Amino acid sequence: MTITALLNELFPSGHAVTAADGVITGLATTPKGEMAVLGTTDHLAVGVETALALADFVLEIVRDRPGLPILMLVDTQGQRLSKKDELLGINGYLAHLVKCLELARMNGHRLLTLVYAEAVSGGFLSFGLMADEIHALPEARVRVMNLPAMARITKLPLELLQELSGSSPAFAPGVESFFRLGGVQEIWTRPLAEQLNKALDRPPGGDSRREEGLARQGRKLAGPVSRLVTAA
Amino acid sequence: MSDLSGLRRGHSYYEANARGRIARLLDADSFVEILGPAERLTSPHLESLGQPCAFDDGIVIGRGRLNGNPVLIASQEGGFMGGSVGEVHGAKLTGLLELAAKEKPSAVLLLLESGGVRLHEANAGLIAISEIIRALLAARGAGIAVIGLIGGVYGCFGGMGIVARCCDSLIINEEGRLGLSGPDVIETTMGVEEFDASDRALVWRTMGGKHRYLLGEVQRLVEDDIAAYRQAVTETLAQPVQALSLPGLEEEHRTLKHRLTRYGACQDSTEIWGDLGFDDPPQLPLLDIESFLQAANRVCRRES
């Protein structure tokens, strides 16, 4: 779905979110009050400029609008693959964005994510995956890599990967896989404005993805293993 | 660099494995492993793909001492699937960082050597790296210094490249590489015109320790000697911990913005080095660490 249609569905009371070079930022109105919105459109490959533009907005919100909830709308094909980005240290730019979002959380901003189109590896990692709650539309596409590329790099037969995709959410691309792993908390059905209100009503919790992954039997070891370590 | 606790000289960090690095970095016999190989904790996903497993899933974690100070430490094993992060591997690291927030050691030392997400369990690995980032930043929020050490054969790439830059402070050697997308990934996806992964000199001057040091992304560039890393960690521990703060991140924002404005059009690191004030940029990769650091200091003085 287009970003315009999405914003209209999410914020029937109105919004002032604008797009520039695949980056969206702005404020929107919900029945619970105002909220900040940021994200990407058109399957944007997240490069150094993207990270700076998003970080700029997050810092502005932390500075000028204490405690305002932040919604991240994700549509990215991943990090931008280029020599220029690596030369400038793109990993540091993405880490900067991640740290700005953590600062927002530390300062009491609620962080929500909605994956509405694509969410892939480094691009997803740099903002959407930092939220307290991560949700996705049923038609969204979440993955690290598609199966043919995965087969090529791991040197495993594509047929084997396709066969195991049915039973193993750990590497099968898709929203359903991420849901079972706890990486996506809920798959949103319409009306979306209602789902957003419900999310804003819930008290923010810690990082519960391991527990959800265990409850949904997609990631059976992550929670227990980290608990063994903290108890050691 | 004459007081490198002489007894332990001459052990390459680059060539050592995960356990060898820990043993020589920490005070002798102080390391106690958590969830060691005897626990037989292996990846459930590799097994179902018929792939070989490791009893530590490619990461060694535990407690130890450095100059008597209690530290928590994690060391990724590049020799096992390139140090890649799977479900168990990631959970061990996340758990260690959560333990740090609770136990409040003098520091957490992360010996990073990883290509990032383990593709055999890609989705679980990606979420795991996100959990590592959250736990790392929470540990820093609790006032714990998190120090990253880089310099192994496989470098530090993918999501772990982001993790590295979330640390308080980084230590690297000349051979160490730090980035997001590795040379092979860029070449395979974008073509050899974008990045020739077989051009080792290009790889090193784009992602290597010297360039990362000159950009200010790593705080210490050291000889490839575990004793030199130990010395650098000791110096880092003597400094105040930098908590995440609005002024701190605003400062980082200005730095990154300035770098993009100034060097965004550069095609090669030698252009950046020339702009920094080095008279003969192509010579920099050839200098030994001592001469390189002297040259870098001269340039910094000229800048200020």
Side-chain angles (χ1 to χ4, degrees):
Chain A
M1 89 185 295
T2 68
I3 187 66
T4 315
L6 176 70
L7 287 166
N8 290 337
E9 261 195 64
L10 281 169
F11 306 109
S13 319
H15 68 80
V17 179
T18 53
D21 301 324
V23 171
I24 49 165
T25 52
L27 299 178
T29 311
T30 77
K32 313 287 164 197
E34 235 179 349
M35 80 184 303
V37 180
L38 62 86
T40 49
T41 67
D42 304 301
H43 319 323
L44 184 72
V46 174
V48 290
E49 301 88 351
T50 322
L52 272 186
L54 291 174
D56 210 57
F57 181 67
V58 176
L59 289 174
E60 183 189 315
I61 293 297
V62 171
R63 211 165 27 227
D64 301 336
R65 301 300 305 268
L68 201 68
I70 298 173
L71 174 66
M72 297 183 259
L73 298 175
V74 179
D75 180 12
T76 168
Q77 58 180 281
Q79 73 266 25
R80 189 166 64 198
L81 297 160
S82 83
K83 187 169 92 175
K84 180 193 120 175
D85 285 278
E86 292 302 326
L87 197 57
L88 293 170
I90 181 174
N91 55 310
Y93 284 76
L94 301 197
H96 175 64
L97 175 54
V98 157
K99 285 182 274 188
C100 290
L101 288 165
E102 181 65 24
L103 178 75
R105 189 194 338 270
M106 282 164 55
N107 287 12
H109 295 262
R110 192 73 194 284
L111 300 179
L112 299 175
T113 284
L114 177 63
V115 180
Y116 69 98
E118 285 194 39
V120 185
S121 0
F124 192 18
L125 199 54
S126 66
F127 65 107
L129 278 171
M130 282 297 286
D132 304 311
E133 286 186 19
I134 299 159
H135 306 293
L137 297 186
E139 65 267 31
R141 299 171 300 279
V142 192
R143 65 176 185 277
V144 172
M145 197 177 269
N146 60 37
L147 285 188
M150 214 181 272
R152 206 168 55 234
I153 293 174
T154 59
K155 298 184 176 67
L156 292 165
L158 181 58
E159 300 70 41
L160 173 68
L161 293 187
Q162 277 162 342
E163 189 192 317
L164 284 167
S165 283
S167 58
S168 170
F171 64 84
V175 171
E176 185 60 31
S177 289
F178 276 78
F179 175 81
R180 288 198 47 205
L181 297 170
V184 163
Q185 199 155 344
E186 282 176 4
I187 299 173
W188 279 7
T189 50
R190 283 154 168 103
L192 299 180
E194 208 169 279
Q195 296 280 7
L196 179 61
N197 284 339
K198 272 196 266 175
L200 285 168
D201 269 341
R202 284 190 288 267
D207 190 345
S208 62
R209 291 174 289 182
R210 280 163 283 172
E211 282 63 41
E212 278 160 12
L214 179 61
R216 294 167 186 171
Q217 294 289 293
R219 265 194 319 158
K220 297 178 195 165
L221 286 179
V225 167
S226 57
R227 271 200 299 279
L228 280 174
V229 179
T230 45
Chain B
M1 301 288 272
S2 53
D3 61 340
L4 289 177
S5 60
L7 287 172
R8 291 160 172 250
R9 278 203 87 110
H11 290 280
S12 164
Y13 185 96
Y14 185 76
E15 285 167 22
N17 64 15
R19 287 197 162 70
R21 287 176 188 147
I22 291 179
R24 294 192 185 280
L25 188 71
L26 299 183
D27 296 350
D29 303 320
S30 72
F31 179 63
V32 180
E33 188 166 348
I34 297 172
L35 295 186
E39 311 281 339
R40 293 289 188 267
L41 208 54
T42 59
S43 161
H45 310 293
L46 291 176
E47 215 173 279
S48 59
L49 287 168
Q51 296 285 303
C53 290
F55 289 139
D56 53 19
D57 206 34
I59 186 166
V60 183
I61 59 168
R63 294 185 179 87
R65 291 190 173 270
L66 195 119
N67 304 317
N69 300 305
V71 294
L72 292 176
I73 189 166
S75 184
Q76 293 180 301
E77 178 54 62
F80 180 68
M81 308 196 84
S84 58
V85 180
E87 179 175 347
V88 171
H89 182 118
K92 286 173 76 175
L93 186 45
T94 299
L96 188 81
L97 290 159
E98 289 171 339
L99 180 62
K102 206 169 77 172
E103 197 165 287
K104 305 218 187 293
S106 298
V108 184
L109 309 181
L110 302 183
L111 282 57
L112 306 170
E113 180 168 14
S114 177
V117 171
R118 185 183 297 161
L119 288 177
H120 305 76
E121 39 190 298
N123 304 341
L126 182 67
I127 298 168
I129 291 186
S130 160
E131 288 165 341
I132 292 167
I133 290 174
R134 294 244 348 228
L136 193 163
L137 295 175
R140 286 189 61 186
I144 312 298
V146 182
I147 304 170
L149 288 70
I150 299 170
V153 176
Y154 292 85
C156 180
F157 287 101
M160 290 309 291
I162 302 177
V163 170
R165 294 286 276 110
C166 286
C167 294
D168 285 78
S169 187
L170 290 174
I171 302 166
I172 200 166
N173 61 19
E174 185 174 1
E175 291 77 12
R177 281 153 296 131
L178 170 62
L180 186 61
S181 309
D184 295 316
V185 176
I186 301 178
E187 187 187 301
T188 309
T189 320
M190 308 304 288
V192 72
E193 306 77 24
E194 178 65 30
F195 204 112
D196 181 356
S198 67
D199 184 346
R200 303 320 287 170
L202 171 69
V203 171
W204 256 271
R205 71 175 184 270
T206 307
M207 297 154 172
K210 282 178 174 170
H211 181 54
R212 294 302 177 215
Y213 179 77
L214 290 178
L215 282 184
E217 295 184 286
V218 301
Q219 283 62 44
R220 286 182 170 76
L221 176 72
V222 298
E223 299 278 356
D224 178 33
D225 183 336
I226 299 176
Y229 277 87
R230 183 180 156 95
Q231 176 67 24
V233 172
T234 304
E235 288 165 13
T236 307
L237 281 175
Q239 292 177 338
V241 180
Q242 300 291 324
L244 287 187
S245 68
L246 182 59
L249 286 171
E250 284 175 331
E251 172 67 28
E252 180 171 84
H253 198 76
R254 279 191 294 274
T255 306
L256 294 175
K257 205 168 193 170
H258 170 78
R259 190 191 297 168
L260 174 60
T261 310
R262 187 135 186 149
Y263 304 128
C266 289
Q267 295 299 314
D268 195 281
S269 50
T270 47
E271 292 172 42
I272 299 178
W273 303 341
D275 186 80
L276 284 172
F278 290 100
D279 299 327
D280 192 4
Q283 278 301 107
L284 287 182
L286 306 176
L287 297 180
D288 61 40
I289 293 296
E290 205 180 325
S291 322
F292 174 84
L293 289 174
Q294 277 168 7
N297 277 336
R298 275 198 301 275
V299 167
C300 289
R301 257 184 236 124
R302 209 181 315 175
E303 282 246 307
S304 62

